[in-house]
Amino acid sequence: MIASKIIAHRGLSSLAPENTLAAITLAAEHGIEWIEIDAIALGDGSIVMWHDNSIDRCSDGTGSMAEHSAQSITNLDCGSWFSEHHCGEKMVAIEPAIELIQSLGLGLNLEIKLYENSAATVVAPVLEALLKHWQDFDKLIISSFDRAALDYCQLHAPQIQRGKLYREIPGNWQEELKQLAAVSLHCKYQHLTAQQAVAVKAQGYDLYCYTVNDPSAVSELWQWGIDAIITDYPQRFLSTTGLIEN
Ligand code: G3P
Ligand code: MG
């Protein structure tokens, strides 16, 4: 389903602060065709493009996501932690992020993280934004570690492709993917075995591995039949194509 084998993790997160408009734009500028971003809820129910369940690591503020609102994050600096050059970068709502990604023609792997929130709280506004702005559904896949998030997607927007995220692939993966009518399985590459990869492919699913940053680790994975890698450093994998400079 994913035409590009290289998916930029949290945008081009090795060259710009993760999950920001800058990281999205930079990915497109460097010829990357697909990106992965994370969507989570703030305390007031607004949905933002963000990974952690707190703002401590990637902003100049502190506190859990539940303690913040669309209003309280307005003046945060979400770029200086990464580099001086990115000072003033904002935490953005999921809707403008989706609009930008669509306008750039990128493929999107949108990962939904529930943390302590219900599926309806997080997924309903994400689906609303996607159904409003997204045009090419072949270039969209929603993934999640949270089964409830994917169940919600299946019920309310079955036309959007779903992928199940695992750290380690569990014994019941076939049952779960079938129930979800998922198109793909996404797993942590360090735990994947050749046998598992072959089994996933034999069942007709796409297989994505995260977060592959070491090119020497990847040749084995391609041999096992994986379809794509999710990486912080697409430049390490694309440099031989001349698409991107290190
Ligand atoms: O979607 C792959 C990967 O992003 C999952 O882990 O913690 O980086 O969101 P994490
Ligand atoms: Mg993610």
Side-chain angles (χ1 to χ4, degrees):
M1 291 286 177
I2 286 185
S4 170
K5 291 193 167 196
I6 309 292
I7 304 169
H9 185 226
R10 308 179 193 172
L12 186 38
S13 60
S14 52
L15 298 179
E18 64 184 53
N19 283 321
T20 62
L21 298 182
I24 294 169
T25 307
L26 209 58
E29 285 172 2
H30 285 76
I32 292 155
E33 294 175 353
W34 273 76
I35 63 169
E36 185 261 9
I37 61 168
D38 304 292
I40 69 178
L42 293 168
D44 65 352
S46 47
I47 309 299
V48 288
M49 174 171 59
W50 199 255
H51 177 274
D52 298 355
N53 200 17
S54 90
I55 66 169
D56 299 9
R57 181 176 63 89
C58 297
S59 83
D60 60 351
T62 57
S64 69
M65 297 311 274
E67 291 171 303
H68 283 278
S69 63
Q71 177 62 34
S72 72
I73 56 124
T74 308
N75 295 320
L76 288 175
D77 172 1
C78 302
S80 293
W81 70 273
F82 185 84
S83 80
E84 213 174 279
H85 174 68
H86 290 97
C87 172
E89 198 66 41
K90 296 295 177 200
M91 183 191 297
V92 297
I94 202 65
E95 187 165 349
I98 288 169
E99 280 186 89
L100 175 63
I101 295 162
Q102 176 65 83
S103 73
L104 292 168
L106 294 167
L108 173 61
N109 174 191
L110 178 51
E111 184 194 340
I112 295 176
K113 291 186 186 292
L114 296 183
Y115 290 115
E116 68 273 15
N117 298 293
S118 71
T121 302
V122 187
V123 185
V126 169
L127 293 180
E128 192 181 335
L130 285 170
L131 295 174
K132 189 168 161 195
H133 298 289
W134 202 261
Q135 289 155 26
D136 186 355
F137 285 86
D138 283 342
K139 291 172 72 175
L140 174 65
I141 183 161
I142 290 179
S143 63
S144 189
F145 289 107
D146 300 304
R147 171 69 190 263
L150 295 173
D151 284 338
Y152 193 96
C153 291
Q154 187 177 11
L155 190 63
H156 295 278
Q159 70 273 38
I160 299 180
Q161 302 179 100
R162 294 168 297 283
K164 184 69 184 71
L165 261 165
Y166 298 111
R167 290 180 182 82
E168 215 164 330
I169 300 176
N172 67 342
W173 68 269
Q174 291 197 47
E175 190 188 347
E176 191 157 48
L177 265 69
K178 195 172 169 194
Q179 287 168 352
L180 285 165
V183 298
S184 55
L185 185 154
H186 308 213
C187 67
K188 192 164 179 172
Y189 81 95
Q190 291 94 333
H191 297 306
L192 181 69
T193 66
Q195 199 180 12
Q196 287 172 328
V198 169
V200 170
K201 292 307 300 169
Q203 293 296 314
Y205 297 110
D206 283 346
L207 177 56
Y208 307 137
C209 290
Y210 68 92
T211 305
V212 184
N213 290 335
D214 176 5
S216 70
V218 88
S219 55
E220 192 178 43
L221 299 179
W222 297 133
Q223 283 166 19
W224 294 352
I226 69 157
D227 294 281
I229 57 164
I230 300 171
T231 175
D232 299 322
Y233 293 88
Q235 63 271 37
R236 291 180 183 164
F237 299 91
L238 297 177
S239 55
T240 50
T241 69
L243 281 173
I244 194 167
E245 298 289 324
N246 271 309

